[in-house]
């Protein structure tokens, strides 16, 4: 039987999620079922861990800051992952920067009027001085309990998409040995494409005219690729990659690309490197480059 490509896409996390699955000798219905299950993982993770849903498990934890809260096995794993990365990066990665994002207006209403506030820099400086640290978060993994400082909140924005890709990956792998997941430019590949070549993807960044463009191609051999860029969501002086030590958007690079064995690692380290720079001690199993 000749190989063909099944492509499906849906929108989650404010981006287009695309699955490309090679049909070799598998039944098409099995592949389509796996695709729906994979989309279901994105839907589940959005509902469970978005800060824009008051009924999410994450919102419940944030709402009860200052007290011990029992959370799911999955959520405690994700929180532990983030706190460990914060420690490894000496705070370049910070899961509590939701307070800075809200101050700039990056919330469910996308109200950026504060960007024109002449007192904004002063407000940022005050927040830097007075905000609690990620080090103050208490976690009891054995009993699945977490305690945030009163008023402190966490956000999964820097790992959520990567984690969702990995969860979708496990669903697709049940039905196919050859597929590609593309979540708005964050990628995870498995096997080869319908022409039996390694999956090839375009690297995007901002061109000299300020437009998104593909400047190079890269082949992925069972790898994940993620990027963090200052240009994609920039509004006036604001973009969402905040340095928690200054409270300001970081501008060391235009775009950082990270390749790793799984998407949560690539996703989280892309943000971490963008903020922390090239002096960080990196895991042995990742590589990165910047533009």
């Amino acid at each position: 039987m000749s190989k063909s490509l099944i492509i499906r896409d849906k929108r989650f996390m404010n981006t287009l999620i695309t699955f490309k699955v090679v049909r070799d000798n598998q039944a098409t219905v099995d592949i389509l079922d796996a695709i729906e299950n994979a989309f279901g993982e994105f839907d589940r993770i959005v509902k469970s861990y978005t800060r824009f849903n008051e009924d999410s498990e994450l919102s419940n934890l944030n709402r009860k800051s200052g007290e011990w809260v029992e959370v799911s096995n999955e959520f405690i794993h994700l929180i532990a992952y983030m706190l460990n990365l914060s420690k490894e990066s000496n705070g370049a990665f910070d899961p509590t920067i939701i307070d800075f994002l809200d101050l700039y207006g990056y919330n469910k209403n996308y109200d950026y009027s504060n960007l024109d506030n002449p007192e904004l820099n002063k407000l940022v400086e005050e927040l830097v001085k007075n905000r609690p640290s990620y080090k103050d978060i208490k976690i009891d993994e054995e009993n699945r309990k977490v305690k945030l400082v009163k008023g402190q909140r966490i956000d999964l924005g820097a790992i959520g998409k990567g984690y969702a890709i990995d969860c979708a990956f496990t669903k697709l792998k049940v039905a196919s040995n050859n597929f590609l997941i593309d979540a708005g430019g964050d990628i995870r590949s498995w096997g080869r494409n319908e022409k039996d070549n390694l999956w090839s993807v375009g690297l995007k960044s901002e061109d000299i005219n300020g437009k998104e463009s593909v400047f190079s191609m890269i082949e992925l051999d069972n790898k994940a690729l993620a990027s963090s860029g200052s240009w994609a969501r920039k509004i006036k002086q604001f973009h969402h990659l905040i340095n928690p030590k200054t409270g300001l958007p970081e501008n060391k690079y235009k775009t950082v690309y990270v390749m790793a064995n799984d998407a949560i690692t690539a996703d989280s380290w892309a943000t971490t490197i963008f903020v922390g720079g090239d002096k960080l001690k990196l895991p042995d199993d990742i590589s990165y480059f910047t533009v």
Side-chain angles (χ1 to χ4, degrees):
M1 183 182 292
S2 61
K3 294 182 179 180
S4 59
L5 193 61
I6 297 175
I7 303 175
R8 294 290 187 275
D9 55 55
K10 288 185 180 182
R11 292 196 71 85
F12 292 99
M13 301 177 174
N14 202 30
T15 195
L16 189 66
I17 313 298
T18 302
F19 300 147
K20 297 180 180 180
V21 184
V22 176
R23 187 176 72 86
D24 192 348
N25 56 2
Q26 310 97 319
T28 300
V29 66
D30 291 339
I31 293 176
L32 294 178
D33 284 346
I35 287 174
E36 284 306 306
N37 290 336
F39 279 131
E41 288 298 279
F42 275 91
D43 186 50
R44 179 183 67 80
I45 290 163
V46 168
K47 289 177 179 176
S48 297
Y49 304 121
T50 177
R51 66 188 176 99
F52 300 133
N53 176 10
E54 287 300 317
D55 296 325
S56 72
E57 187 174 13
L58 179 138
S59 292
N60 180 62
L61 174 63
N62 287 340
R63 194 163 44 243
K64 295 179 179 178
S65 64
E67 57 186 275
W68 283 101
V69 180
E70 185 174 341
V71 298
S72 64
N73 283 324
E74 182 178 61
F75 198 17
I76 199 89
H77 163 75
L78 294 172
I79 294 170
Y81 178 93
M82 292 192 296
L83 293 179
N84 183 62
L85 182 53
S86 297
K87 182 178 179 181
E88 288 183 4
S89 65
N90 192 29
F93 181 93
D94 187 340
T96 71
I97 63 163
I98 184 174
D99 49 6
F100 287 121
L101 296 176
D102 277 353
L103 183 60
Y104 284 104
Y106 189 53
N107 50 43
K108 64 180 179 180
N109 297 318
Y110 298 103
D111 178 10
Y112 296 106
S113 57
N114 215 23
L115 296 178
D116 297 319
N117 184 349
E119 299 293 314
L120 178 58
N121 286 344
K122 182 179 179 180
L123 294 173
V124 171
E125 290 174 3
E126 290 176 354
L127 184 55
V128 170
K129 294 177 182 178
N130 299 319
R131 67 193 299 264
S133 168
Y134 69 89
K135 297 177 183 178
D136 300 324
I137 297 175
K138 300 185 186 310
I139 181 170
D140 180 352
E141 292 189 66
E142 183 177 352
N143 294 302
R144 292 191 291 107
K145 291 184 177 181
V146 180
K147 183 179 181 182
L148 307 178
V149 177
K150 184 66 176 178
Q152 188 179 47
R153 293 172 292 163
I154 63 171
D155 181 39
L156 268 62
I159 71 166
K161 186 163 44 168
Y163 180 65
I165 290 172
D166 290 337
C167 291
F169 177 91
T170 62
K171 299 298 183 181
L172 291 178
K173 202 165 181 287
V174 171
S176 177
N177 293 319
N178 302 282
F179 58 86
L180 182 86
I181 301 171
D182 183 344
D186 288 346
I187 311 285
R188 187 167 179 184
S189 72
W190 190 249
R192 293 174 175 258
N193 64 21
E194 74 280 12
K195 297 180 181 178
D196 204 31
N197 297 320
L198 292 176
W199 292 99
S200 181
V201 299
L203 300 177
K204 297 179 181 179
S205 192
E206 184 182 40
D207 63 20
I208 58 174
N209 298 313
K211 303 294 184 180
E212 177 184 295
S213 65
V214 175
F215 67 90
S216 185
M217 303 294 292
I218 189 170
E219 290 185 333
L220 299 179
D221 188 1
N222 296 343
K223 291 288 186 179
L225 178 74
S227 64
S228 285
S230 60
W231 52 275
R233 301 178 184 176
K234 191 166 187 178
I235 299 174
K236 297 183 179 179
Q237 75 271 33
F238 168 79
H239 63 76
H240 68 293
L241 295 162
I242 304 292
N243 186 328
K245 296 179 181 178
T246 64
L248 301 174
E250 191 55 69
N251 291 294
K252 292 185 182 73
Y253 312 109
K254 184 176 291 185
T255 311
V256 172
Y257 298 88
V258 172
M259 188 180 296
N261 292 325
D262 55 61
I264 191 173
T265 302
D267 189 16
S268 58
W269 275 100
T271 298
T272 304
I273 294 170
F274 192 100
V275 172
D278 57 6
K279 295 181 180 180
L280 297 169
K281 179 175 173 55
L282 305 179
D284 294 334
D285 58 347
I286 76 167
S287 59
Y288 81 97
F289 57 97
T290 64
V291 293

